PDB file of all heavy atoms in Angstrom:
ATOM      1  N   THR A   1     141.432  77.115 107.347  1.00  0.00           N
ATOM      2  CA  THR A   1     142.403  77.935 107.735  1.00  0.00           C
ATOM      3  C   THR A   1     143.594  77.258 108.274  1.00  0.00           C
ATOM      4  O   THR A   1     143.280  76.430 109.267  1.00  0.00           O
ATOM      5  CB  THR A   1     141.740  79.050 108.899  1.00  0.00           C
ATOM      6  OG1 THR A   1     140.654  79.759 108.123  1.00  0.00           O
ATOM      7  CG2 THR A   1     142.774  80.069 109.174  1.00  0.00           C
ATOM      8  N   VAL A   2     144.749  77.664 107.989  1.00  0.00           N
ATOM      9  CA  VAL A   2     146.027  77.068 108.699  1.00  0.00           C
ATOM     10  C   VAL A   2     146.803  78.218 109.291  1.00  0.00           C
ATOM     11  O   VAL A   2     146.990  79.239 108.560  1.00  0.00           O
ATOM     12  CB  VAL A   2     146.831  76.221 107.719  1.00  0.00           C
ATOM     13  CG1 VAL A   2     148.099  75.645 108.409  1.00  0.00           C
ATOM     14  CG2 VAL A   2     145.920  74.977 107.172  1.00  0.00           C
ATOM     15  N   MET A   3     147.256  78.073 110.482  1.00  0.00           N
ATOM     16  CA  MET A   3     148.170  79.040 111.154  1.00  0.00           C
ATOM     17  C   MET A   3     149.428  78.335 111.531  1.00  0.00           C
ATOM     18  O   MET A   3     149.370  77.314 112.025  1.00  0.00           O
ATOM     19  CB  MET A   3     147.446  79.607 112.380  1.00  0.00           C
ATOM     20  CG  MET A   3     146.329  80.520 112.061  1.00  0.00           C
ATOM     21  SD  MET A   3     145.573  81.256 113.515  1.00  0.00           S
ATOM     22  CE  MET A   3     146.885  82.484 113.980  1.00  0.00           C
ATOM     23  N   TRP A   4     150.598  79.055 111.401  1.00  0.00           N
ATOM     24  CA  TRP A   4     151.805  78.514 111.855  1.00  0.00           C
ATOM     25  C   TRP A   4     152.791  79.690 112.166  1.00  0.00           C
ATOM     26  O   TRP A   4     152.569  80.829 111.781  1.00  0.00           O
ATOM     27  CB  TRP A   4     152.498  77.667 110.868  1.00  0.00           C
ATOM     28  CG  TRP A   4     152.948  78.234 109.615  1.00  0.00           C
ATOM     29  CD1 TRP A   4     154.289  78.760 109.473  1.00  0.00           C
ATOM     30  CD2 TRP A   4     152.246  78.745 108.431  1.00  0.00           C
ATOM     31  NE1 TRP A   4     154.373  79.470 108.184  1.00  0.00           N
ATOM     32  CE2 TRP A   4     153.051  79.307 107.576  1.00  0.00           C
ATOM     33  CE3 TRP A   4     150.871  78.443 108.023  1.00  0.00           C
ATOM     34  CZ2 TRP A   4     152.673  79.948 106.355  1.00  0.00           C
ATOM     35  CZ3 TRP A   4     150.526  79.119 106.890  1.00  0.00           C
ATOM     36  CH2 TRP A   4     151.413  79.654 106.025  1.00  0.00           C
ATOM     37  N   LYS A   5     153.668  79.374 113.117  1.00  0.00           N
ATOM     38  CA  LYS A   5     154.600  80.446 113.624  1.00  0.00           C
ATOM     39  C   LYS A   5     155.599  80.754 112.441  1.00  0.00           C
ATOM     40  O   LYS A   5     156.212  79.756 111.965  1.00  0.00           O
ATOM     41  CB  LYS A   5     155.308  80.070 114.935  1.00  0.00           C
ATOM     42  CG  LYS A   5     156.322  81.086 115.334  1.00  0.00           C
ATOM     43  CD  LYS A   5     156.606  80.828 116.730  1.00  0.00           C
ATOM     44  CE  LYS A   5     157.531  82.014 117.336  1.00  0.00           C
ATOM     45  NZ  LYS A   5     157.747  81.988 118.604  1.00  0.00           N
ATOM     46  N   ASP A   6     155.706  82.095 112.064  1.00  0.00           N
ATOM     47  CA  ASP A   6     156.668  82.415 111.211  1.00  0.00           C
ATOM     48  C   ASP A   6     158.048  82.545 111.754  1.00  0.00           C
ATOM     49  O   ASP A   6     158.480  83.512 112.274  1.00  0.00           O
ATOM     50  CB  ASP A   6     156.335  83.799 110.711  1.00  0.00           C
ATOM     51  CG  ASP A   6     157.073  84.167 109.340  1.00  0.00           C
ATOM     52  OD1 ASP A   6     157.621  83.313 108.702  1.00  0.00           O
ATOM     53  OD2 ASP A   6     156.901  85.381 108.939  1.00  0.00           O
ATOM     54  N   ALA A   7     158.878  81.412 111.654  1.00  0.00           N
ATOM     55  CA  ALA A   7     160.084  81.313 112.255  1.00  0.00           C
ATOM     56  C   ALA A   7     161.160  80.843 111.154  1.00  0.00           C
ATOM     57  O   ALA A   7     160.830  80.608 109.985  1.00  0.00           O
ATOM     58  CB  ALA A   7     160.087  80.300 113.352  1.00  0.00           C
ATOM     59  N   GLY A   8     162.298  80.771 111.608  1.00  0.00           N
ATOM     60  CA  GLY A   8     163.413  80.246 110.661  1.00  0.00           C
ATOM     61  C   GLY A   8     163.238  78.895 110.269  1.00  0.00           C
ATOM     62  O   GLY A   8     162.474  78.096 110.746  1.00  0.00           O
ATOM     63  N   ALA A   9     163.963  78.516 109.210  1.00  0.00           N
ATOM     64  CA  ALA A   9     163.782  77.220 108.532  1.00  0.00           C
ATOM     65  C   ALA A   9     164.339  76.087 109.481  1.00  0.00           C
ATOM     66  O   ALA A   9     163.828  75.025 109.418  1.00  0.00           O
ATOM     67  CB  ALA A   9     164.734  77.223 107.211  1.00  0.00           C
ATOM     68  N   ASP A  10     165.110  76.329 110.471  1.00  0.00           N
ATOM     69  CA  ASP A  10     165.546  75.335 111.306  1.00  0.00           C
ATOM     70  C   ASP A  10     164.737  75.257 112.658  1.00  0.00           C
ATOM     71  O   ASP A  10     164.842  74.271 113.386  1.00  0.00           O
ATOM     72  CB  ASP A  10     166.901  75.576 111.736  1.00  0.00           C
ATOM     73  CG  ASP A  10     167.236  77.039 112.493  1.00  0.00           C
ATOM     74  OD1 ASP A  10     166.394  77.922 112.303  1.00  0.00           O
ATOM     75  OD2 ASP A  10     168.329  77.066 113.145  1.00  0.00           O
ATOM     76  N   ALA A  11     163.661  76.096 112.732  1.00  0.00           N
ATOM     77  CA  ALA A  11     162.865  76.134 113.899  1.00  0.00           C
ATOM     78  C   ALA A  11     161.831  74.845 113.808  1.00  0.00           C
ATOM     79  O   ALA A  11     161.404  74.464 112.712  1.00  0.00           O
ATOM     80  CB  ALA A  11     162.046  77.327 113.946  1.00  0.00           C
ATOM     81  N   PRO A  12     161.354  74.327 114.885  1.00  0.00           N
ATOM     82  CA  PRO A  12     160.332  73.243 114.865  1.00  0.00           C
ATOM     83  C   PRO A  12     159.038  73.729 114.170  1.00  0.00           C
ATOM     84  O   PRO A  12     158.705  74.890 114.235  1.00  0.00           O
ATOM     85  CB  PRO A  12     160.044  72.885 116.210  1.00  0.00           C
ATOM     86  CG  PRO A  12     161.062  73.587 117.029  1.00  0.00           C
ATOM     87  CD  PRO A  12     161.637  74.747 116.255  1.00  0.00           C
ATOM     88  N   TYR A  13     158.456  72.827 113.376  1.00  0.00           N
ATOM     89  CA  TYR A  13     157.290  73.179 112.550  1.00  0.00           C
ATOM     90  C   TYR A  13     156.035  72.771 113.367  1.00  0.00           C
ATOM     91  O   TYR A  13     155.950  71.567 113.744  1.00  0.00           O
ATOM     92  CB  TYR A  13     157.388  72.543 111.273  1.00  0.00           C
ATOM     93  CG  TYR A  13     156.156  72.893 110.368  1.00  0.00           C
ATOM     94  CD1 TYR A  13     156.006  74.191 109.764  1.00  0.00           C
ATOM     95  CD2 TYR A  13     155.053  71.963 110.229  1.00  0.00           C
ATOM     96  CE1 TYR A  13     154.786  74.292 109.092  1.00  0.00           C
ATOM     97  CE2 TYR A  13     154.035  72.211 109.377  1.00  0.00           C
ATOM     98  CZ  TYR A  13     153.950  73.450 108.795  1.00  0.00           C
ATOM     99  OH  TYR A  13     152.799  73.664 108.031  1.00  0.00           O
ATOM    100  N   ALA A  14     155.062  73.637 113.545  1.00  0.00           N
ATOM    101  CA  ALA A  14     153.830  73.408 114.208  1.00  0.00           C
ATOM    102  C   ALA A  14     152.820  74.192 113.588  1.00  0.00           C
ATOM    103  O   ALA A  14     153.042  75.297 113.298  1.00  0.00           O
ATOM    104  CB  ALA A  14     153.861  73.628 115.664  1.00  0.00           C
ATOM    105  N   SER A  15     151.660  73.609 113.274  1.00  0.00           N
ATOM    106  CA  SER A  15     150.552  74.423 112.728  1.00  0.00           C
ATOM    107  C   SER A  15     149.265  73.957 113.307  1.00  0.00           C
ATOM    108  O   SER A  15     149.122  72.929 113.929  1.00  0.00           O
ATOM    109  CB  SER A  15     150.576  74.272 111.166  1.00  0.00           C
ATOM    110  OG  SER A  15     150.224  72.838 110.876  1.00  0.00           O
ATOM    111  N   SER A  16     148.253  74.736 113.035  1.00  0.00           N
ATOM    112  CA  SER A  16     146.926  74.443 113.510  1.00  0.00           C
ATOM    113  C   SER A  16     145.887  74.683 112.399  1.00  0.00           C
ATOM    114  O   SER A  16     146.135  75.673 111.648  1.00  0.00           O
ATOM    115  CB  SER A  16     146.538  75.176 114.791  1.00  0.00           C
ATOM    116  OG  SER A  16     146.560  76.490 114.655  1.00  0.00           O
ATOM    117  N   ARG A  17     144.833  73.873 112.248  1.00  0.00           N
ATOM    118  CA  ARG A  17     143.915  74.091 111.151  1.00  0.00           C
ATOM    119  C   ARG A  17     142.573  74.139 111.728  1.00  0.00           C
ATOM    120  O   ARG A  17     142.182  73.462 112.706  1.00  0.00           O
ATOM    121  CB  ARG A  17     143.987  72.697 110.222  1.00  0.00           C
ATOM    122  CG  ARG A  17     143.047  72.798 109.127  1.00  0.00           C
ATOM    123  CD  ARG A  17     143.190  71.751 108.255  1.00  0.00           C
ATOM    124  NE  ARG A  17     142.212  71.831 107.148  1.00  0.00           N
ATOM    125  CZ  ARG A  17     141.744  70.731 106.464  1.00  0.00           C
ATOM    126  NH1 ARG A  17     142.170  69.582 106.601  1.00  0.00           N
ATOM    127  NH2 ARG A  17     140.848  70.952 105.516  1.00  0.00           N
ATOM    128  N   VAL A  18     141.854  75.061 111.140  1.00  0.00           N
ATOM    129  CA  VAL A  18     140.386  75.138 111.573  1.00  0.00           C
ATOM    130  C   VAL A  18     139.608  75.108 110.309  1.00  0.00           C
ATOM    131  O   VAL A  18     139.971  75.745 109.265  1.00  0.00           O
ATOM    132  CB  VAL A  18     140.240  76.644 112.285  1.00  0.00           C
ATOM    133  CG1 VAL A  18     138.713  76.859 112.549  1.00  0.00           C
ATOM    134  CG2 VAL A  18     141.089  76.617 113.501  1.00  0.00           C
ATOM    135  N   ARG A  19     138.571  74.483 110.317  1.00  0.00           N
ATOM    136  CA  ARG A  19     137.644  74.364 109.302  1.00  0.00           C
ATOM    137  C   ARG A  19     136.161  74.788 109.848  1.00  0.00           C
ATOM    138  O   ARG A  19     135.714  74.410 110.959  1.00  0.00           O
ATOM    139  CB  ARG A  19     137.370  72.935 108.775  1.00  0.00           C
ATOM    140  CG  ARG A  19     138.705  72.492 108.024  1.00  0.00           C
ATOM    141  CD  ARG A  19     138.532  71.277 107.353  1.00  0.00           C
ATOM    142  NE  ARG A  19     138.335  70.129 108.298  1.00  0.00           N
ATOM    143  CZ  ARG A  19     138.059  68.872 108.007  1.00  0.00           C
ATOM    144  NH1 ARG A  19     137.901  68.523 106.893  1.00  0.00           N
ATOM    145  NH2 ARG A  19     137.817  68.054 109.037  1.00  0.00           N
ATOM    146  N   VAL A  20     135.511  75.623 109.161  1.00  0.00           N
ATOM    147  CA  VAL A  20     134.231  76.148 109.536  1.00  0.00           C
ATOM    148  C   VAL A  20     133.291  76.427 108.306  1.00  0.00           C
ATOM    149  O   VAL A  20     134.005  76.830 107.302  1.00  0.00           O
ATOM    150  CB  VAL A  20     134.379  77.390 110.533  1.00  0.00           C
ATOM    151  CG1 VAL A  20     134.995  78.622 109.777  1.00  0.00           C
ATOM    152  CG2 VAL A  20     133.049  77.753 111.066  1.00  0.00           C
ATOM    153  N   SER A  21     132.053  76.361 108.424  1.00  0.00           N
ATOM    154  CA  SER A  21     131.163  76.791 107.407  1.00  0.00           C
ATOM    155  C   SER A  21     130.486  78.030 107.747  1.00  0.00           C
ATOM    156  O   SER A  21     129.851  78.022 108.901  1.00  0.00           O
ATOM    157  CB  SER A  21     130.109  75.590 107.222  1.00  0.00           C
ATOM    158  OG  SER A  21     129.423  75.759 105.912  1.00  0.00           O
ATOM    159  N   LEU A  22     130.497  78.973 106.926  1.00  0.00           N
ATOM    160  CA  LEU A  22     129.890  80.233 107.243  1.00  0.00           C
ATOM    161  C   LEU A  22     128.748  80.586 106.173  1.00  0.00           C
ATOM    162  O   LEU A  22     128.883  80.317 104.916  1.00  0.00           O
ATOM    163  CB  LEU A  22     130.947  81.396 107.180  1.00  0.00           C
ATOM    164  CG  LEU A  22     132.126  81.362 108.048  1.00  0.00           C
ATOM    165  CD1 LEU A  22     133.094  82.283 107.614  1.00  0.00           C
ATOM    166  CD2 LEU A  22     131.634  81.379 109.489  1.00  0.00           C
ATOM    167  N   LYS A  23     127.694  81.115 106.641  1.00  0.00           N
ATOM    168  CA  LYS A  23     126.603  81.489 105.816  1.00  0.00           C
ATOM    169  C   LYS A  23     127.035  82.907 105.257  1.00  0.00           C
ATOM    170  O   LYS A  23     127.897  83.565 105.822  1.00  0.00           O
ATOM    171  CB  LYS A  23     125.298  81.691 106.564  1.00  0.00           C
ATOM    172  CG  LYS A  23     124.682  80.320 107.005  1.00  0.00           C
ATOM    173  CD  LYS A  23     123.484  80.493 107.790  1.00  0.00           C
ATOM    174  CE  LYS A  23     123.087  79.187 108.299  1.00  0.00           C
ATOM    175  NZ  LYS A  23     121.935  78.796 108.516  1.00  0.00           N
ATOM    176  N   PRO A  24     126.468  83.374 104.071  1.00  0.00           N
ATOM    177  CA  PRO A  24     126.852  84.737 103.547  1.00  0.00           C
ATOM    178  C   PRO A  24     126.519  85.686 104.564  1.00  0.00           C
ATOM    179  O   PRO A  24     125.490  85.666 105.238  1.00  0.00           O
ATOM    180  CB  PRO A  24     125.949  84.799 102.274  1.00  0.00           C
ATOM    181  CG  PRO A  24     125.640  83.402 101.966  1.00  0.00           C
ATOM    182  CD  PRO A  24     125.647  82.581 103.110  1.00  0.00           C
ATOM    183  N   GLY A  25     127.480  86.651 104.790  1.00  0.00           N
ATOM    184  CA  GLY A  25     127.433  87.684 105.758  1.00  0.00           C
ATOM    185  C   GLY A  25     127.961  87.284 107.192  1.00  0.00           C
ATOM    186  O   GLY A  25     128.228  88.184 107.904  1.00  0.00           O
ATOM    187  N   GLN A  26     128.224  85.995 107.398  1.00  0.00           N
ATOM    188  CA  GLN A  26     128.808  85.590 108.633  1.00  0.00           C
ATOM    189  C   GLN A  26     130.257  85.741 108.708  1.00  0.00           C
ATOM    190  O   GLN A  26     131.055  85.714 107.573  1.00  0.00           O
ATOM    191  CB  GLN A  26     128.392  84.107 108.935  1.00  0.00           C
ATOM    192  CG  GLN A  26     126.968  83.906 109.502  1.00  0.00           C
ATOM    193  CD  GLN A  26     126.754  82.501 109.940  1.00  0.00           C
ATOM    194  OE1 GLN A  26     127.265  81.570 109.296  1.00  0.00           O
ATOM    195  NE2 GLN A  26     126.108  82.325 110.991  1.00  0.00           N
ATOM    196  N   MET A  27     130.958  85.783 109.843  1.00  0.00           N
ATOM    197  CA  MET A  27     132.302  86.112 110.077  1.00  0.00           C
ATOM    198  C   MET A  27     132.763  85.013 111.134  1.00  0.00           C
ATOM    199  O   MET A  27     132.164  84.909 112.198  1.00  0.00           O
ATOM    200  CB  MET A  27     132.612  87.517 110.411  1.00  0.00           C
ATOM    201  CG  MET A  27     134.127  87.795 110.524  1.00  0.00           C
ATOM    202  SD  MET A  27     134.500  89.553 110.872  1.00  0.00           S
ATOM    203  CE  MET A  27     133.797  89.661 112.411  1.00  0.00           C
ATOM    204  N   VAL A  28     134.017  84.556 110.940  1.00  0.00           N
ATOM    205  CA  VAL A  28     134.740  83.848 111.994  1.00  0.00           C
ATOM    206  C   VAL A  28     135.977  84.602 112.345  1.00  0.00           C
ATOM    207  O   VAL A  28     136.575  85.221 111.620  1.00  0.00           O
ATOM    208  CB  VAL A  28     135.076  82.321 111.575  1.00  0.00           C
ATOM    209  CG1 VAL A  28     136.192  82.498 110.388  1.00  0.00           C
ATOM    210  CG2 VAL A  28     135.651  81.632 112.687  1.00  0.00           C
ATOM    211  N   GLN A  29     136.167  84.596 113.807  1.00  0.00           N
ATOM    212  CA  GLN A  29     137.306  85.343 114.280  1.00  0.00           C
ATOM    213  C   GLN A  29     138.443  84.467 114.508  1.00  0.00           C
ATOM    214  O   GLN A  29     138.219  83.296 115.232  1.00  0.00           O
ATOM    215  CB  GLN A  29     136.858  86.063 115.572  1.00  0.00           C
ATOM    216  CG  GLN A  29     137.655  87.159 116.045  1.00  0.00           C
ATOM    217  CD  GLN A  29     137.423  88.419 115.237  1.00  0.00           C
ATOM    218  OE1 GLN A  29     136.337  88.566 114.607  1.00  0.00           O
ATOM    219  NE2 GLN A  29     138.236  89.356 115.324  1.00  0.00           N
ATOM    220  N   VAL A  30     139.657  84.704 114.009  1.00  0.00           N
ATOM    221  CA  VAL A  30     140.869  83.855 114.160  1.00  0.00           C
ATOM    222  C   VAL A  30     141.729  84.553 115.030  1.00  0.00           C
ATOM    223  O   VAL A  30     142.094  85.807 114.805  1.00  0.00           O
ATOM    224  CB  VAL A  30     141.531  83.529 112.817  1.00  0.00           C
ATOM    225  CG1 VAL A  30     142.680  82.808 113.012  1.00  0.00           C
ATOM    226  CG2 VAL A  30     140.609  82.906 111.829  1.00  0.00           C
ATOM    227  N   ASP A  31     142.057  84.060 116.228  1.00  0.00           N
ATOM    228  CA  ASP A  31     142.906  84.749 117.260  1.00  0.00           C
ATOM    229  C   ASP A  31     144.403  84.325 117.051  1.00  0.00           C
ATOM    230  O   ASP A  31     144.651  83.169 116.939  1.00  0.00           O
ATOM    231  CB  ASP A  31     142.360  84.485 118.648  1.00  0.00           C
ATOM    232  CG  ASP A  31     141.067  85.055 118.961  1.00  0.00           C
ATOM    233  OD1 ASP A  31     140.769  86.013 118.383  1.00  0.00           O
ATOM    234  OD2 ASP A  31     140.407  84.358 119.843  1.00  0.00           O
ATOM    235  N   GLY A  32     145.242  85.343 117.161  1.00  0.00           N
ATOM    236  CA  GLY A  32     146.637  85.052 117.108  1.00  0.00           C
ATOM    237  C   GLY A  32     147.282  85.507 118.478  1.00  0.00           C
ATOM    238  O   GLY A  32     146.567  85.637 119.391  1.00  0.00           O
TER     239      GLY A  32
END
């Protein structure tokens, strides 16, 4: 999963990445 701020083309770019392994039926919560 990659998250980044939805801003204008001239705004500084920053993102965060999360990798996780889930078993079937499991869920990961991504906070904004």
